[in-house]
Amino acid sequence: HDAFGTAHRAEASTYGIAQFAKVACAGPLLAAEIDAISKALANPKRPLVAIVAGSKVSTKLTILQSLAKNVDQLIVGGGIANTFMLAAGLPIGNSLAEKDLVNDAKAVIEAMKARGAAVPIPVDVVVAKEFKADATPTVKAAADVAADDLILDIGPQTAAQLAGMLKAAGTIVWNGPVGVFEFDAFAKGTE
C-alpha cells in the first residue's frame, strides 16, 4: 500500500484488499510519509503549527483531536473551517459543513484554549453564489456571509494572519487545501 493520501479511508483499494493478502505492508512512499510526520511531531522545532484542511471534519476528526494535544497552533481550512466557523457562531450560508460535528469542533477549540493555544477562525472569506470555476468571487467579512453564499476560500486578511503564524513557526505540518484550489479565483488562500 503506497497511497498516503487515501490511507485513512476504509475502501476496497486501500483496506479491503489487504484483508485477503497473505503479506501486506506499507510501500516506500507511505513509509517515508509516516517517518516524516513522526519526526516532525516527536521532536519539533517550536512553535509547531499544523494545518488541517479539506472538505470534511469527519475524515480528519481523530487527527484534529490528536493534534490539539500537541501543537502550538492548529489551523483549519476548507470545509473543515466552515464547521469550525459554525462552532464559533458565524454564518456559513450554503457552504459545505458537517453540522452534526459542531460540538466536536467546539471540543477541539476548547482543548486548544486549555493549553493556551488557539484555532484561528477566518475573519474574512471569499464567497460565490455558485460552485463553478467561473463564479464571481466576492470577499466578505466572515460575519457577513449571506444565506445563499458558498465559502470557497479564505479572505486576504485571514491569509495574512495565517501567513504571519506560519512565518513564526519552527515546524509546520500540513494536510489539505484551505480553499477550492482547483478554481483559480479560489486558490489564493492555499497558495
Side-chain angles (χ1 to χ4, degrees):
H1 178 28
D2 218 15
F4 179 77
T6 61
H8 64 287
R9 296 191 176 133
E11 295 176 357
S13 62
T14 57
Y15 172 78
I17 196 73
Q19 295 179 50
F20 301 101
K22 291 181 182 182
V23 176
C25 65
L29 296 175
L30 182 59
E33 290 281 0
I34 292 169
D35 288 346
I37 193 77
S38 297
K39 288 176 188 171
L41 295 177
N43 190 22
K45 182 178 176 192
R46 299 280 181 174
L48 170 58
V49 179
I51 303 169
V52 180
S55 59
K56 295 182 178 179
V57 171
S58 58
T59 61
K60 297 180 181 175
L61 183 59
T62 56
I63 294 167
L64 289 165
Q65 292 166 335
S66 176
L67 288 171
K69 297 173 188 169
N70 299 306
V71 300
D72 301 303
Q73 195 75 49
L74 179 59
I75 296 170
V76 292
I80 292 172
N82 297 340
T83 302
F84 277 75
M85 288 175 68
L86 280 176
L90 290 167
I92 63 161
N94 282 331
S95 306
L96 176 68
E98 291 177 283
K99 295 177 176 136
D100 57 325
L101 294 177
V102 166
N103 286 335
D104 295 288
K106 286 180 181 178
V108 170
I109 291 168
E110 289 306 314
M112 290 295 289
K113 276 185 188 174
R115 296 183 46 250
V119 178
I121 304 299
V123 294
D124 64 339
V125 292
V126 182
V127 300
K129 300 298 182 186
E130 300 175 280
F131 187 83
K132 296 183 351 185
D134 62 350
T136 303
T138 303
V139 176
K140 289 188 173 185
D144 296 338
V145 174
D148 62 342
D149 282 336
L150 295 168
I151 299 170
L152 300 178
D153 200 3
I154 56 173
Q157 287 180 320
T158 301
Q161 176 188 33
L162 299 180
M165 292 174 194
L166 295 172
K167 286 177 185 172
T171 304
I172 301 168
V173 292
W174 180 9
N175 177 267
V178 298
V180 183
F181 72 97
E182 299 91 342
F183 299 160
D184 288 342
F186 309 103
K188 305 291 185 285
T190 300
E191 291 169 3

